[in-house]
Amino acid sequence: MKFMLLVYAEADAWEAEARKLAMKESVALCYELDAEGEYCSAAPLQPVTTSVSVRVREGEAFITDGPFAETTEHLGGYFLVDVKNREAAIAVARRIPGARVGTVEVRPVVELTDLPESKS
């Protein structure tokens, strides 16, 4: 069963050196998950200042700078894992460095069978 682990934190949650260490820990976690057959994908995101939000209402697109919601915590990255159940996904989320300074949302993925294969 696939789960998306969404990592949220405040933009200034990490000091520069701590961020570098957390990134190394996250990469190591990806290799551990891969060895366990549970890794699908993971990536940090660029800062929220680089994002735009797109809404289409009655056929008209509205594009605004920044995230959709005004919040102190922002989506900073994700892990996509394939584990046996929700408890296993929570166990992985507890290992993500970002959980120490922010929040990791654990959400099951709806797997559709009629989508094109990923090329990445």
Side-chain angles (χ1 to χ4, degrees):
M1 184 171 192
K2 289 185 180 170
F3 286 84
M4 182 68 70
L5 310 178
L6 302 167
V7 183
Y8 293 90
E10 292 186 27
D12 60 354
W14 297 102
E15 298 286 331
E17 286 304 311
R19 181 181 300 277
K20 288 179 187 177
L21 179 59
M23 193 69 69
K24 287 181 181 181
E25 288 180 57
S26 294
V27 169
L29 176 57
C30 290
Y31 279 97
E32 292 169 18
L33 294 169
D34 188 53
E36 297 164 9
E38 298 176 341
Y39 176 81
C40 295
S41 175
L45 299 176
Q46 292 289 333
V48 70
T49 56
T50 66
S51 70
V52 297
S53 295
V54 179
R55 295 181 193 93
V56 178
R57 301 295 185 270
E58 298 178 11
E60 186 176 353
F62 297 91
I63 302 166
T64 55
D65 289 335
F68 171 70
E70 289 293 326
T71 180
T72 59
E73 289 191 330
H74 302 285
L75 180 62
Y78 75 93
F79 285 74
L80 179 61
V81 297
D82 192 353
V83 295
K84 63 183 176 179
N85 56 35
R86 180 175 179 262
E87 289 71 29
I90 291 170
V92 172
R94 292 177 60 159
R95 296 165 62 190
I96 296 173
R100 297 193 301 258
V101 297
T103 303
V104 178
E105 178 182 352
V106 177
R107 191 182 301 187
V109 173
V110 175
E111 295 192 60
L112 302 175
T113 58
D114 56 347
L115 295 176
E117 294 274 335
S118 174
K119 296 196 177 24
S120 58

